[in-house]
Amino acid sequence: MSVPRFWRRLKNLYNLIGTHCEKCKEYYYPPRNMCPRCRRTGVIVPFKFNGKGEVVTYTIVHSAAKDYVRHTPYILAIIKLEEGPRLTSQVICAHEDIHIGMKVKSAFRRLGEESEKGMIYYGTKFIPLETVK
Ligand SMILES: [Zn+2]
């Protein structure tokens, strides 16, 4: 991945910015350059999601890639944003609390770091919207 593309992606992850088609009113995350429904007639504009959504399904990951070992086990969920798009993200909460339909909101968390260059990767994770059940 090229450097500019990396940072663009980073910015999108950080701000949860996707796109919205003004013609068919559909929302997209990750952002798309062209509306798959309207094609050339679509009117694509950037859209910042409010970060609220709910858990569609989840899994608890016990083994992960080398860089993520210290984070295991962790919860990986498919989140449906209020505006409609779905994305896969980590959910930070007690494992006994996670459930389908749980309301969550995005939170800015560090995903990992590359030791040699000292580069830190940031990304969106999700936390429970209400901590009190
Ligand atoms: Zn469209």
Side-chain angles (χ1 to χ4, degrees), residues 21 24 35 38:
C21 176
C24 68
C35 177
C38 307

Side-chain angles (χ1 to χ4, degrees), residues 12-81:
N12 287 337
L13 283 170
Y14 171 44
N15 288 314
L16 211 58
I17 289 174
T19 48
H20 172 58
C21 176
E22 293 189 325
K23 192 185 179 200
C24 68
K25 310 298 180 193
E26 196 64 56
Y27 294 93
Y28 299 102
Y29 187 88
R32 296 193 185 205
N33 293 323
M34 185 184 281
C35 177
R37 285 187 184 179
C38 307
R39 313 295 294 181
R40 287 169 187 277
T41 62
V43 182
I44 290 286
V45 295
F47 181 83
K48 185 178 183 298
F49 294 102
N50 69 17
K52 290 179 187 169
E54 67 175 55
V55 174
V56 174
T57 186
Y58 67 91
T59 182
I60 294 175
V61 178
H62 291 277
S63 60
K66 188 165 73 62
D67 294 344
Y68 289 89
V69 166
R70 67 178 183 279
H71 299 295
T72 57
Y74 62 87
I75 302 164
L76 196 62
I78 295 175
I79 310 294
K80 183 174 187 287
L81 297 173

Side-chain angles (χ1 to χ4, degrees), residues 1 4 10 15 36 46 70 74 79 84 89 96-97 100 102 108 122 127 131:
M1 195 185 295
L10 197 68
N15 288 314
R70 67 178 183 279
Y74 62 87
I79 310 294
S89 181
E96 57 268 29
D97 289 346
I100 290 167
M102 186 171 81
F108 180 51
Y122 288 95
I127 56 174
T131 48

